[in-house]
Amino acid sequence: MTDRPSEPPSGRGLRPETTRRAVVAGGLALGAAAVIGAAVRASGPTVWPDRPVRLIVPYPAGGSVDLLTRILAEKLEARFGQPFVIENKPGAAGNIGVAALAASPADGYSIAAATVGHFAINPFIVAQAAPDPERDFAPVSLVWELPNVFAVPGRLPVETLADFAVWAKRQGRLSFGSSGVGTSTHLFPTLFAARAGLDAAHVPFRGAAQTIPAMLAGDVAFTIDNLTSYMSYIEGGQVRPLAVTGTQRWPGLPDVPTMAECGWPDFAMTSWAAFVVPMGTPPAIVGRLAAALRDIAADPAVRDRFATVGARALASTPEEVAARAAQERPIWRETVRLAGLAG
């Protein structure tokens, strides 16, 4: 005779109050788990980053944004022990790269270096194509600022901005290079040409890495571009700086006057950048990244490396980024209008 296998308890015979207690306890446990899960999702993972982070540079390799971002990526890797992988996505005045960032998951694994153009210029020129800085991406921290430099080939027979204006008028039509339509490197030369009465054609490139060879080859006569990209060429004598934008002379070029000193007061703005993340990125991740960037900006070695290439390391809260953008937006909007580029 074979023994019948024992059957699991069916629950029949349990007292009703015992069953009700079990059901209630189970429901409370599920509810608590849901609340905890929601809290974790809202605050972000307990460990970030636990895998490589994509760091989008919306301009070509070799330009100022690329160079400075790589310095920060190196320090972030050392801080967090994970790769921060540079991904250059240039085009459309930097809009392509930042649009790619805005479309990425808001999980902390996509960051971009956004410039003043993304925050305060592009929306007034290419409104249909430009990501909205108040809707599509969120600031983390300011990371640097730098002046633009009025640069000409070293072979030109000019020593000052006044010399250049006289020389340029004698040439008839000439051209200037920029890092794309709607960038500060487009606005400033356009405004200068209009005020100086020059017949100057705009030649847009994807970045300074293309503008500089064109200038050295004689394809463009001048530019007003980010200083960082030009420092080595200035030091080597291939490029001559005639003036810098901003309200004061730049420490790295103490003998070069400001545009205002040369009689051009509409060029008092500097270029700056901030790291941004997709809207909705957990605040805990934003806070951790901002804290790291604050420590990196305070590092004397980083400050020296930035100064060597003509930039100043910055750090801030997300709110301070938004406040700076809001403060400068009306000024840049007026610059866009004066340059005849309002969309």
Side-chain angles (χ1 to χ4, degrees):
M1 177 176 172
T2 304
D3 291 336
R4 179 183 294 177
S6 61
E7 297 180 358
S10 64
R12 291 175 297 180
L14 291 177
R15 289 187 296 178
E17 58 271 24
T18 302
T19 302
R20 284 194 297 271
R21 283 198 299 269
V23 170
V24 170
L28 290 173
L30 289 172
V35 170
I36 293 171
V40 169
R41 286 191 298 273
S43 62
T46 54
V47 177
W48 175 91
D50 61 3
R51 62 179 190 272
V53 178
R54 179 174 67 151
L55 186 42
I56 297 172
V57 175
Y59 300 98
S64 60
V65 177
D66 178 74
L67 174 62
L68 295 170
T69 301
R70 288 179 187 275
I71 294 174
L72 295 176
E74 174 188 318
K75 295 299 180 179
L76 288 169
E77 288 184 358
R79 168 101 172 203
F80 291 116
Q82 291 290 344
F84 280 69
V85 182
I86 300 293
E87 183 176 323
N88 295 91
K89 296 184 75 68
N95 286 328
I96 290 175
V98 172
L101 179 279
S104 301
D107 57 6
Y109 290 91
S110 292
I111 304 167
T115 67
V116 61
H118 299 104
F119 283 96
I121 300 175
N122 295 358
F124 301 127
I125 300 175
V126 282
Q128 297 301 317
D132 187 329
E134 297 180 341
R135 183 192 65 209
D136 296 329
F137 56 88
V140 176
S141 172
L142 291 167
V143 285
W144 70 73
E145 70 173 345
L146 68 161
N148 284 12
V149 60
F150 194 117
V152 299
R155 66 179 179 277
L156 286 192
V158 300
E159 296 292 334
T160 67
L161 200 54
D163 291 344
F164 177 80
V166 172
W167 174 86
K169 287 181 179 179
R170 291 174 180 165
Q171 306 311 304
R173 188 168 178 80
L174 72 165
S175 59
F176 67 86
S178 83
S179 297
V181 175
T183 61
S184 65
T185 67
H186 177 199
L187 291 180
F188 281 151
T190 300
L191 184 57
F192 174 82
R195 294 292 173 83
L198 304 181
D199 183 6
H202 175 218
V203 182
F205 297 98
R206 287 192 168 190
Q210 295 175 334
T211 306
I212 293 171
M215 176 183 290
L216 298 181
D219 296 329
V220 296
F222 74 103
T223 188
I224 305 179
D225 206 343
N226 293 171
L227 174 60
T228 297
S229 303
Y230 291 77
M231 278 297 288
S232 63
Y233 296 91
I234 291 171
E235 291 167 351
Q238 298 120 303
V239 170
R240 179 173 297 125
L242 301 183
V244 293
T245 65
T247 58
Q248 56 188 359
R249 296 192 181 196
W250 198 251
L253 294 173
D255 296 328
V256 178
T258 65
M259 295 284 289
E261 287 180 284
C262 297
W264 303 88
D266 293 325
F267 299 81
M269 306 296 285
T270 58
S271 292
W272 52 270
F275 274 11
V276 299
V277 292
M279 191 66 74
T281 298
I285 292 177
V286 173
R288 192 168 190 212
L289 178 57
L293 291 170
R294 182 172 60 250
D295 291 345
I296 291 169
D299 183 344
V302 172
R303 301 182 77 85
D304 287 346
R305 287 180 71 182
F306 271 44
T308 298
V309 294
R312 179 183 293 120
L314 297 179
S316 73
T317 65
E319 293 76 17
E320 287 168 336
V321 180
R324 178 163 183 170
Q327 179 182 12
E328 293 191 8
R329 206 167 280 136
I331 302 171
W332 282 110
R333 186 172 193 170
E334 179 64 6
T335 303
V336 169
R337 187 191 67 80
L338 291 172
L341 299 172

